[in-house]
Amino acid sequence: MTSDFQPSLDRYSRQILFSEIGADGQRRLSESRALIIGCGALGSAQAESLARAGVGTLRFVDRDFVEFSNLQRQTMFTEQDAAERLPKAIACANHLSEINSDIVVEPEIADVNHSNIERLLENCDVVIDGTDNFATRYLINDACVKHNVNWIYGAAVGSYGVTMTIRPSATPCLRCIFPEAPPAASAPTCDTAGVIMPIINIVSAVQVSEALKLLTGKLTDLHNSLMQFDVWRNEWRRI
Ligand SMILES: [Zn+2]
């Protein structure tokens, strides 16, 4: 180790070598703030990836507690978290601080609703969807459209997943694509139809890649589509 060893740059050396990010992109990531809504399967995967990538401030919000039935796919959490029934936001903050102590984590134990969404959005460069319901997604959509904040829709159930990046100034929003939410009772959920972990990894990987492109200003590299995947039926679609 030489005297000019910089642990923070060494940490990101492989990402800086990736020319699309580079040193300038890394600096931009370190100055960015992302809001992750939901710390379940998608949200905790997004949070871990963005923390490892060095996104400077991660704000995340979830009202639930870690349960043993989460451990099959929510790789952030441990049996200890479930035994203690820790709030997911707190367990997430604990693990992220161990993974990357350079970044600032802002956990919040809350239900996201009309009364807090605009405060949560404040000063955020991107919002990432880790929720499990359409009502919250429309709430995110409307607040992001109002304040011109980019957000990345994502959902997974069974072996199927979908994601889309919404830039209010440049792309259709969620309401343009789905004017009406599917009736809550008719839409399959992870509680009724189950879910397998690989689809979580795929959806969150695409969402995080899009977040890295947005935060480093590489807008021409965004996928500009509704991406759908089914890892069991082997279907991959871009609309
Ligand atoms: Zn719209």
Side-chain angles (χ1 to χ4, degrees):
M1 196 185 293
T2 60
S3 58
D4 62 353
F5 176 72
Q6 290 178 283
S8 65
L9 285 184
D10 186 58
R11 168 192 288 263
Y12 304 116
S13 62
R14 302 307 186 272
Q15 190 166 278
I16 291 171
L17 274 173
F18 178 66
S19 60
E20 301 294 343
I21 292 184
D24 182 58
Q26 191 62 50
R27 180 189 51 74
R28 292 180 69 156
L29 293 178
S30 73
E31 292 166 356
S32 296
R33 180 191 299 261
L35 169 64
I36 296 171
I37 301 195
C39 297
L42 284 174
S44 60
Q46 296 152 5
E48 179 180 343
S49 296
L50 293 177
R52 290 188 188 275
V55 173
T57 303
L58 293 180
R59 178 179 292 169
F60 39 89
V61 51
D62 195 294
R63 65 175 173 194
D64 289 335
F65 298 83
V66 182
E67 297 176 32
F68 280 93
S69 67
N70 300 147
L71 301 181
Q72 161 255 351
R73 65 197 179 284
Q74 303 187 15
T75 52
M76 174 80 76
F77 305 124
T78 63
E79 290 184 352
Q80 183 72 29
D81 298 329
E84 292 177 20
R85 280 186 61 76
L86 284 182
K88 287 185 179 178
I90 299 304
C92 211
N94 293 343
H95 294 303
L96 292 181
S97 300
E98 290 176 340
I99 288 167
N100 189 348
S101 57
D102 289 346
I103 65 164
V104 176
V105 293
E106 300 179 345
E108 184 141 336
I109 307 166
D111 189 23
V112 178
N113 55 42
H114 286 102
S115 73
N116 59 13
I117 182 76
E118 300 205 4
R119 175 180 57 78
L120 289 166
L121 271 185
E122 231 164 74
N123 303 319
C124 286
D125 301 297
V126 67
V127 179
I128 309 178
D129 176 12
T131 67
D132 58 2
N133 66 84
F134 255 89
T136 310
R137 292 190 181 107
Y138 282 130
L139 192 69
I140 297 169
N141 184 73
D142 295 347
C144 285
V145 167
K146 180 175 171 189
H147 294 281
N148 196 24
V149 179
N150 299 326
W151 77 281
I152 307 170
Y153 160 58
V157 62
S159 57
Y160 169 82
V162 57
T163 179
M164 182 172 76
T165 301
I166 292 155
R167 290 194 295 140
S169 59
T171 70
C173 78
L174 192 68
R175 281 189 194 278
C176 300
I177 308 283
F178 305 110
E180 300 278 333
S186 79
T189 69
C190 295
D191 293 339
T192 59
V195 62
I196 56 173
M197 189 175 131
I199 192 60
I200 301 294
N201 293 344
I202 287 175
V203 173
S204 65
V206 175
Q207 289 180 293
V208 167
S209 303
E210 292 281 282
L212 296 178
K213 294 171 202 173
L214 285 170
L215 295 175
T216 57
K218 299 295 167 67
L219 303 182
T220 55
D221 294 327
L222 295 163
H223 63 69
N224 288 314
S225 59
L226 184 74
M227 290 185 109
Q228 295 174 299
F229 321 92
D230 193 315
V231 291
W232 206 267
R233 294 175 183 86
N234 312 307
E235 292 168 357
W236 304 72
R237 242 179 276 132
R238 258 182 90 181
I239 300 172

